[in-house]
């Protein structure tokens, strides 16, 4: 399930929140946050399953944040 309390998930959502854009590649997020790409991918997969993120282009790992799940709390 979606764990929005994990430090890497909080940092990922904060990263999107601090940007003027809602789209990014896994590599760009990993470079900026310092997390391993696989950690970012796992978090994005959880967010996709919760309909909070959509993958715009699979080969490049380009994603868009649709909704911050923390706003539902």
């Amino acid at each position: 399930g979606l764990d929005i309390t994990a430090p890497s998930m909080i940092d990922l959502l904060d990263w999107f929140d601090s940007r003027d854009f809602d789209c990014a590649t896994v590599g760009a997020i990993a470079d900026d946050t310092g997390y391993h790409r696989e950690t970012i991918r796992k978090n994005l997969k959880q967010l996709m399953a919760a309909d909070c993120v959509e993958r715009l282009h699979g080969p490049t790992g380009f994603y868009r944040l649709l909704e911050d799940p923390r706003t539902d709390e």
Side-chain angles (χ1 to χ4, degrees), residues 49-68:
D51 294 326
C52 294
V53 163
E54 69 177 338
R55 183 171 47 215
L56 299 177
H57 189 247
T60 58
F62 194 57
Y63 292 84
R64 174 169 49 210
L65 181 68
L66 302 173
E67 177 185 350
D68 188 330

Side-chain angles (χ1 to χ4, degrees), residues 24-67:
T25 63
V26 170
I29 299 167
D31 288 349
D32 282 355
T33 62
Y35 285 99
H36 193 276
R37 288 172 187 240
E38 194 54 38
T39 302
I40 300 299
R41 277 191 204 98
K42 286 178 183 174
N43 286 340
L44 289 168
K45 276 185 162 181
Q46 285 185 36
L47 290 166
M48 277 184 15
D51 294 326
C52 294
V53 163
E54 69 177 338
R55 183 171 47 215
L56 299 177
H57 189 247
T60 58
F62 194 57
Y63 292 84
R64 174 169 49 210
L65 181 68
L66 302 173
E67 177 185 350

Side-chain angles (χ1 to χ4, degrees), residues 1 4-5 7 12 14 20 24 30 38 40 49 52 59-61 67 69-70:
I4 58 173
T5 63
L12 172 61
D14 285 348
D20 292 331
E38 194 54 38
I40 300 299
C52 294
T60 58
E67 177 185 350
R70 299 175 297 182

